[in-house]
Amino acid sequence: MEQQQMTWHLQTLFLKGVNDTREAVSWSGQTRRVSQRGFLNHSRSILGWNSMEIDNVRDALRLPSLHFSTYYNDKLRRESTNKLFSSIPGYVKIVEVGPRDGLQNEKDIVPTAIKVELIKMLASSGLPVVEATSFVSPKWVPQLADAKDVMEAIRDFKGARFPVLTPNLKGFEAAIAAGAKEVAVFASASEGFSKSNINCSIEDSLVRYHEVALSASKLSIPVRGYISCVVGCPVEGMVSPSKVAYVAKKLCDMGCYEISLGDTIGVGTPGTVIPMLEAVIDVVPIEKLAVHFHDTYGQALSNILASLQMGISTVDSSVSGLGGCPYAKGASGNVATEDVVYMLNGLGVKTNVDLQKIMLAGNFIRKHLGHSSGSKTAIALSKITAHASKL
């Protein structure tokens, strides 16, 4: 059906394409017929939009169907002289951690078939990296006891890399036997958290990971490093940037190709994240760094933006905001992949990720888990889509 004579609300204006220049526009509950140009001119007068912003809206209105994106286009980004934009990378790699970091915190065991389907949906969305599972003891993480079966099911699936978490040499050997082509190790910047999470000191953990790195090097297996509690710890409180830098340098020296800096309990703000990044960048090349933020206090996107402005070009996220921290009471999930993609689209940053497909993957796993979405973007766009379907 032609999209004519539709009732529009301001918040849906940018998301709905039209095939006609005359639309019905809702103002304070009253509907009147106006031209597209007339509506834009009226919008300029009440919202204070400038001509550049109006052109963006007009471009959005020409779209033939729902367009899940924000509205800052590449041309405007290139022409902008604002120094805040100039430091943001043109492309950001998103590392999806939902199947591992997200599902490992679920109370109930998720069937292997559901995990495999989720991983395939995520890989099909254009995500370059999807962390598949973890080869830790089922005693400690029973939710991922089927790691071998998951890897077997995705062994021949193309389109993304599927790293797995390995806590020690035994886990590494099991992962390689299952067909893993990339692994990750996880250390902490907090002594207290290291002992409570992996039952050993920071130094002992680094010895373990050095063994993993040596074995991986002999097999030409890439190793990624994680550091938890980079700004705050549930055991020790605030964490010094120098401690993060120390662990990051150790992981870099042992051969980790990338080091993900994790705000495990989501207490960071740009005011604490920036000094931490400055300390780490002093000892590790910035191109080797990634950020991993939880959204406990709603600060994840602002922290990601600050990181981008400092030159970070890799961001971890979890579909539908799955995840949490079992050792930190009240810590909510990872930042939602949908929200990250939406923001990056709005900055004119390329990700090669299809937001609609990410939303489908989020809906799929949330329906199985019986949870509501942890993504504000997914919630908002789903409501808009539902509204449009009734018109």
Side-chain angles (χ1 to χ4, degrees):
M1 177 179 181
E2 291 294 315
Q3 298 179 37
Q4 298 178 350
Q5 301 180 0
M6 300 175 70
T7 299
W8 282 71
H9 296 287
L10 281 175
Q11 66 266 34
T12 67
L13 171 63
F14 304 125
L15 296 169
K16 191 67 166 177
V18 295
N19 296 325
D20 193 10
T21 58
R22 296 184 62 81
E23 299 298 324
V25 183
S26 176
W27 296 104
S28 301
Q30 297 181 347
T31 301
R32 63 187 180 89
R33 298 269 296 179
V34 296
S35 69
Q36 189 182 101
R37 183 178 299 277
F39 173 77
L40 294 174
N41 289 336
H42 190 63
S43 299
R44 178 190 286 118
S45 66
I46 64 169
L47 297 178
W49 288 342
N50 58 40
S51 58
M52 183 178 293
E53 290 166 324
I54 291 298
D55 288 339
N56 283 346
V57 176
R58 187 174 287 116
D59 288 342
L61 285 171
R62 292 194 185 105
L63 293 170
S65 61
L66 284 176
H67 181 62
F68 296 124
S69 176
T70 37
Y71 323 105
Y72 195 87
N73 64 45
D74 289 339
K75 181 180 179 182
L76 295 182
R77 185 176 187 272
R78 290 194 302 269
E79 293 177 351
S80 175
T81 58
N82 192 305
K83 62 181 180 181
L84 296 179
F85 284 124
S86 63
S87 60
I88 294 176
Y91 168 79
V92 166
K93 178 180 72 178
I94 296 179
V95 176
E96 172 62 49
V97 300
R100 194 277 300 176
D101 196 20
L103 297 184
Q104 73 177 10
N105 290 292
E106 287 299 313
K107 180 179 179 181
D108 298 321
I109 304 297
V110 178
T112 302
I114 297 295
K115 293 176 183 176
V116 171
E117 181 62 21
L118 173 64
I119 291 169
K120 290 182 176 180
M121 291 179 76
L122 292 168
S124 297
S125 74
L127 285 163
V129 184
V130 180
E131 194 175 56
T133 186
S134 176
F135 282 81
V136 299
S137 170
K139 175 183 176 181
W140 299 112
V141 187
Q143 294 87 343
L144 302 181
D146 59 350
K148 180 180 177 181
D149 295 333
V150 168
M151 293 305 294
E152 176 64 29
I154 64 172
R155 183 188 293 269
D156 298 322
F157 194 81
K158 308 297 182 182
R161 291 152 44 203
F162 302 110
V164 299
L165 208 63
T166 54
N168 48 40
L169 192 56
K170 181 179 179 180
F172 171 78
E173 292 170 347
I176 299 304
K181 295 179 174 59
E182 183 174 335
V183 301
V185 296
F186 50 101
S188 175
S190 160
E191 197 68 54
F193 190 79
S194 182
K195 290 175 180 177
S196 65
N197 187 31
I198 55 177
N199 200 33
C200 70
S201 68
I202 292 174
E203 292 300 330
D204 287 341
S205 73
L206 293 174
V207 171
R208 291 181 186 177
Y209 303 145
H210 185 65
E211 294 174 349
V212 171
L214 284 176
S215 295
S217 178
K218 293 176 182 178
L219 298 173
S220 298
I221 298 292
V223 180
R224 191 182 202 233
Y226 282 98
I227 305 178
S228 58
C229 298
V230 296
V231 290
C233 167
V235 180
E236 298 181 0
M238 298 306 293
V239 173
S240 169
S242 62
K243 291 184 178 180
V244 185
Y246 171 79
V247 178
K249 181 67 162 57
K250 288 289 188 179
L251 291 174
C252 182
D253 289 346
M254 70 177 66
C256 290
Y257 77 90
E258 190 169 86
I259 299 162
S260 177
L261 305 169
D263 180 12
T264 309
I265 55 175
V267 296
T269 67
T272 53
V273 167
I274 291 173
M276 179 273 295
L277 288 175
E278 288 176 332
V280 176
I281 290 169
D282 279 345
V283 297
V284 176
I286 195 168
E287 61 270 17
K288 287 180 173 286
L289 299 178
V291 290
H292 181 123
F293 293 111
H294 286 237
D295 205 30
T296 312
Y297 291 86
Q299 300 296 298
L301 289 178
S302 61
N303 291 334
I304 290 172
L305 180 58
S307 302
L308 296 176
Q309 291 170 334
M310 293 189 70
I312 300 294
S313 59
T314 300
V315 175
D316 295 0
S317 62
S318 177
V319 63
S320 199
L322 292 173
C325 177
Y327 301 99
K329 186 177 181 180
S332 60
N334 297 281
V335 64
T337 303
E338 299 93 321
D339 297 349
V340 174
V341 173
Y342 186 87
M343 182 183 78
L344 292 175
N345 285 349
L347 290 168
V349 174
K350 295 185 182 301
T351 63
N352 299 329
V353 176
D354 187 321
L355 180 52
Q356 294 184 57
K357 290 183 178 180
I358 292 292
M359 288 176 59
L360 288 174
N363 289 339
F364 167 78
I365 191 61
R366 285 292 180 179
K367 285 180 180 178
H368 174 79
L369 297 174
H371 300 336
S372 58
S373 177
S375 164
K376 288 184 171 58
T377 296
I379 292 171
L381 294 182
S382 295
K383 288 181 179 178
I384 290 170
T385 305
H387 176 71
S389 67
K390 297 177 182 178
L391 296 175

